Amino acid sequence: MPPELNGTSRLVLARPDRIGDVVITSSCLEPVRRALPGAEIHFVAQSRMTPLFCEHPALTSFVPMPTHPDPVWRQERLADQLRRLNADCIVHLHSDPEVEWAAAAADIPRRIGFCENGDKWLTECLPVKKKLGEKHEGFYNFDLLELLGVSPPSKLKACLKPNPEAADRLAGKLPADITQGRYAVLHVGAHGKKPRITPEFFTAIARWLVKERKMYVVLLSTPDEAQAIDAILAGLGSAAPWVHNFDGQTDLAEAAFLLRDAAVVFGRDSGPAHIAAAMGAPTVSLMIDSEPTNSGRRWAPLGERSWVLDKPLERSWYESKSGFGRRNLEQYSADEIIASLNQALDAACEVTTESAVEA
């Protein structure tokens, strides 16, 4: 029988995945802490996620994964880190052979995960049902956590604690006219080869935000999206002075504060969209991959002020992912997206007004 966890147990949660996946996984940290109030809880994720979990109240520590081009070196260093924790249990919330090997090498007695890589390095293994897209990704974490007696909440709530020093660093980088609530953020791009929203959409939205809503616009992206950024800037016309290109200028904590203070955030369902929603910003996300495994039902950003544009579309057997993404995007017009942004802005203004009246 596997060892049972108790109030003094040492538990490791691992999510060695992309930004949005890790933000979604943050929704399980507080339920785990409530279920195991006296336990040590350590969270393993990619090192770049560190600024988002500074002094997180539910965690004993954040364990950044080693970075190195040699996978064997990474595995051995991670095994050393896990060995020092002297953990009783690790829950692999995302199947990753490097982390699963490291946990086994560290002799963690109870190793729980999904059977995507088989059960070679796991002691308890559940079948993978995520691709069915029957519920939100955050709830799939509890398929594993329920083995520890951690029940899912009625509603998922992402919880980030970005390094507060990042807010001061961000203030030193922003132009003086970019102040809280007076700007919108457009996130240009997506992870890897995922389909992108076209520059023409972003240009139309930016011009509307400037001319109709009298807002500054911040373009947030990575240097890989330089061509798309150039195309957006070239089409702005008289709105150009109101638009600031902020690509590659922030770490994740600085980006979190930038997104938090925006009047509205728009992009596809990407890492920044998940951060924005978790930080409480009005967020409109366009789901370009609308198959069940990638739909809003599974991947909608978690937040009280998060809106999702998602039109189900069946992918043809011969259709490439990029072709399917383009066809999905053709279902939308710039005017339709603008209407959703207008709704989000108006709803945010109503909440702000109500709060001011109550105060």
Side-chain angles (χ1 to χ4, degrees):
M1 290 289 292
E4 295 293 329
L5 297 190
N6 55 48
T8 59
S9 295
R10 295 173 292 275
L11 172 65
V12 177
L13 305 174
R15 185 81 196 214
D17 212 346
R18 295 170 294 198
I19 296 171
D21 307 78
V22 175
V23 174
I24 286 173
T25 295
S26 73
S27 65
C28 78
L29 299 181
E30 290 185 351
V32 172
R33 172 53 71 197
R34 286 195 298 270
L36 300 167
E40 290 185 16
I41 302 173
H42 306 276
F43 187 37
V44 175
Q46 292 184 20
S47 60
R48 62 177 175 156
M49 309 297 177
T50 305
L52 293 180
F53 293 90
C54 182
E55 299 180 3
H56 196 289
L59 296 176
T60 304
S61 77
F62 179 88
V63 182
M65 293 177 62
T67 56
H68 195 276
D70 182 357
V72 175
W73 187 95
R74 292 196 303 265
Q75 288 176 236
E76 291 177 347
R77 297 292 82 72
L78 180 58
D80 288 341
Q81 289 175 276
L82 295 176
R83 198 173 288 115
R84 286 193 292 271
L85 296 177
N86 194 27
D88 301 297
C89 177
I90 183 169
V91 181
H92 297 280
L93 299 172
H94 175 70
S95 298
D96 184 283
E98 285 191 20
V99 183
E100 291 172 8
W101 180 93
D107 293 324
I108 298 177
R110 193 173 182 186
R111 305 185 299 277
I112 301 171
F114 293 109
C115 299
E116 195 164 338
N117 301 310
D119 59 358
K120 184 176 181 180
W121 297 303
L122 301 174
T123 61
E124 296 165 71
C125 190
L126 294 184
V128 183
K129 298 181 179 179
K130 294 184 178 186
K131 292 186 178 180
L132 298 175
E134 295 175 335
K135 56 186 177 183
H136 197 277
E137 177 71 11
F139 283 119
Y140 282 112
N141 290 326
F142 288 91
D143 290 354
L144 299 172
L145 292 170
E146 283 189 300
L147 297 176
L148 305 179
V150 181
S151 300
S154 58
K155 186 175 183 179
L156 296 169
K157 182 180 179 181
C159 181
L160 304 178
K161 294 296 179 182
N163 187 342
E165 295 177 0
D168 295 330
R169 296 198 303 271
L170 177 67
K173 295 179 179 181
L174 288 173
D177 48 7
I178 302 294
T179 57
Q180 184 174 7
R182 292 197 63 213
Y183 64 92
V185 174
L186 304 182
H187 178 246
V188 181
H191 176 81
K193 296 182 179 180
K194 283 189 173 183
R196 266 75 169 156
I197 299 171
T198 63
E200 291 75 17
F201 272 79
F202 283 116
T203 299
I205 291 165
R207 294 179 70 174
W208 172 80
L209 286 165
V210 170
K211 294 184 177 181
E212 301 299 326
R213 300 296 304 212
K214 309 302 180 188
M215 285 187 176
Y216 291 97
V217 175
V218 175
L219 302 179
L220 190 63
S221 69
T222 65
D224 294 338
E225 309 293 341
Q227 188 173 355
I229 292 289
D230 289 343
I232 294 168
L233 296 174
L236 290 173
S238 60
W242 290 65
V243 179
H244 297 269
N245 177 17
F246 224 58
D247 69 313
Q249 297 183 43
T250 62
D251 65 17
L252 285 183
E254 292 166 352
F257 288 115
L258 176 69
L259 294 162
R260 180 198 67 181
D261 293 339
V264 71
V265 178
F266 171 73
R268 65 155 293 158
D269 56 316
S270 57
H274 288 281
I275 294 174
M279 294 297 290
T283 307
V284 177
S285 306
L286 180 59
M287 310 297 295
I288 296 184
D289 296 338
S290 59
E291 294 176 290
T293 187
N294 293 317
S295 69
R297 183 178 184 180
R298 180 179 173 192
W299 291 110
L302 300 175
E304 295 293 332
R305 299 194 289 177
S306 174
W307 289 264
V308 170
L309 299 175
D310 189 12
K311 296 181 180 180
L313 186 68
E314 187 173 346
R315 182 175 172 182
S316 301
W317 66 268
Y318 57 82
E319 199 168 21
S320 68
K321 192 167 186 176
S322 60
F324 177 67
R326 286 193 298 272
R327 187 159 65 89
N328 200 338
L329 186 59
E330 288 170 359
Q331 298 185 100
Y332 299 89
S333 67
D335 287 343
E336 186 175 359
I337 295 172
I338 286 169
S340 295
L341 291 170
N342 206 33
Q343 178 185 2
L345 285 165
D346 289 344
C349 288
E350 290 175 5
V351 171
T352 302
T353 301
E354 289 174 3
S355 299
V357 169
E358 290 174 2

